Amino acid sequence: MKLNVKFSSLYASARKMGIENFIDFSVNLNSIPIDIHVEPLSSPKGVEVPISAVSIDPNSGIFSYQGKHIILFIPDHSFNYEEALQNPKEKGNKFHLTECITLSKMRASGRFRRYFATTNTNGQFEIFNSSGERAEVPLSVCRNCLSQLNYKNYISNRQVFNEFTLAEFFKHYETKFGRIPENVGQDEGGYTEDWQEVSLTYRRSVSFRCEECSVNLYGFQYLLDAHHKNGVKQDNRPQNLKAVCKLCHSLEPEHEHMTISESYRSQIENLRRVQNIT
Ligand SMILES: [Zn+2]
Ligand SMILES: [Zn+2]
Ligand SMILES: [Zn+2]
């Protein structure tokens, strides 16, 4: 953050007040570390987020980032900036409500786009082009997301698209978001304190690929679990671990209790399809 402060008008008014002698001083404000979040998550500008830090709320299927319900959009309109200014609803990038097929394909193909998260509900988004020009425009919701969530029965009532507002959408999910469904994932407790780290290190060592069905979950770490082969959750030796996608995990012996959200299931199935895994 850069601050420009001009003292000349202060000096001028001091002189009017009859003060003649100033102690000359200068302040280098750039040397003072000021950490202010100028753009909050709730602004039309949003906050750039690494896609791997965004997960899907298992109960409602919507995006979760740092415990908050968010939506994602791509402000970079380098290839369609002028069109987007003319007709943002039609030509602008759509904003996303969940991990839809558009996002899955984009991730799977390795085409990296910069995603921004926002909780802003007024429908305005700040977009930019490659020369750094910026504008606030109204964007449209992604139809694939509406479909995947079947938001307000969108699949049989396409009118939902035209009537969509973000304020209503956030309100709709308010009570569902963040409520942990029963029996999700593995039993609570019993894991070692460093389990999260051990699990991540192990999954990284197999490049986030399921050791059962081979689906590549790089960029979808939350869909890949580390499973204890002998069932002893404190036995974190690498030879006792196995990286499995949630679908394969639920097929391990004595894992009948594992429930998988529809959203997780369809994401893994989509990825298997895109990666030609049958
Ligand atoms: Zn979408
Ligand atoms: Zn698998
Ligand atoms: Zn397991």
Side-chain angles (χ1 to χ4, degrees):
M1 174 169 164
K2 203 174 160 183
L3 287 177
N4 279 317
V5 185
K6 291 221 168 73
F7 291 102
S8 51
S9 59
L10 176 70
Y11 290 154
S13 39
R15 234 170 250 119
K16 274 188 211 143
M17 286 155 55
I19 302 168
E20 288 297 342
N21 298 316
F22 299 101
I23 298 166
D24 200 22
F25 71 99
S26 68
V27 186
N28 184 359
L29 284 162
N30 287 332
S31 68
I32 306 170
I34 305 173
D35 187 18
I36 300 171
H37 280 285
V38 186
E39 255 60 61
L41 196 56
S42 59
S43 73
K45 193 170 184 173
V47 171
E48 185 169 2
V49 291
I51 195 73
S52 56
V54 176
S55 62
I56 299 289
D57 181 56
N59 198 36
S60 52
I62 53 181
F63 285 129
S64 169
Y65 173 68
Q66 296 185 343
K68 289 196 193 82
H69 174 200
I70 54 125
I71 56 163
L72 287 182
F73 71 108
I74 300 168
D76 186 349
H77 281 63
S78 294
F79 302 112
N80 53 340
Y81 190 70
E82 291 307 320
E83 297 94 308
L85 288 188
Q86 298 294 322
N87 190 356
K89 289 250 178 193
E90 284 289 322
K91 305 288 184 186
N93 300 338
K94 307 292 181 281
F95 61 82
H96 298 275
L97 313 173
T98 186
E99 180 76 27
C100 69
I101 187 82
T102 324
L103 289 190
S104 293
K105 275 184 182 161
M106 220 181 262
R107 280 208 226 199
S109 70
R111 265 190 296 146
F112 184 73
R113 305 291 298 269
R114 291 169 64 201
Y115 291 98
F116 280 57
T118 182
T119 59
N120 179 41
T121 57
N122 73 5
Q124 295 287 317
F125 297 83
E126 190 181 286
I127 64 168
F128 55 79
N129 66 7
S130 52
S131 3
E133 290 169 71
R134 293 172 176 277
E136 253 183 48
V137 296
L139 297 176
S140 291
V141 64
C142 163
R143 286 184 170 85
N144 288 333
C145 285
L146 290 179
S147 213
Q148 180 148 333
L149 292 171
N150 198 17
Y151 178 67
K152 294 196 169 179
N153 216 12
Y154 169 74
I155 293 170
S156 50
N157 177 17
R158 301 284 153 151
Q159 196 53 28
V160 168
F161 173 83
N162 299 316
E163 291 160 3
F164 182 90
T165 70
L166 277 169
E168 233 184 309
F169 173 71
F170 274 86
K171 188 123 197 74
H172 185 86
Y173 282 97
E174 218 169 51
T175 53
K176 298 186 185 105
F177 180 75
R179 273 189 17 228
I180 308 295
E182 283 169 50
N183 297 329
V184 74
Q186 300 176 325
D187 308 346
E188 54 276 270
Y191 294 95
T192 57
E193 247 174 48
D194 60 350
W195 171 238
Q196 291 212 318
E197 206 183 308
V198 171
S199 162
L200 181 63
T201 307
Y202 183 77
R203 287 175 295 147
R204 191 178 282 142
S205 76
V206 298
S207 308
F208 300 103
R209 193 180 279 275
C210 174
E211 293 184 88
E212 199 62 50
C213 73
S214 299
V215 66
N216 184 351
L217 295 174
Y218 188 85
F220 303 86
Q221 299 170 13
Y222 58 92
L223 296 175
L224 188 69
D225 293 337
H227 163 71
H228 290 97
K229 289 183 198 165
N230 66 8
V232 180
K233 288 185 252 176
Q234 295 82 24
D235 185 353
N236 294 341
R237 290 170 303 140
Q239 59 267 40
N240 188 41
L241 299 179
K242 184 177 171 188
V244 272
C245 72
K246 288 199 180 284
L247 291 185
C248 291
H249 197 180
S250 69
L251 301 175
E252 290 289 341
E254 296 182 55
H255 280 57
E256 298 80 18
H257 64 282
M258 256 190 89
T259 52
I260 303 158
S261 72
E262 262 322 296
S263 164
Y264 282 174
R265 182 180 297 280
S266 66
Q267 286 176 66
I268 295 172
E269 283 168 354
N270 282 340
L271 285 161
R272 283 179 177 170
R273 207 170 301 131
V274 173
Q275 297 173 20
N276 293 317
I277 293 164
T278 44

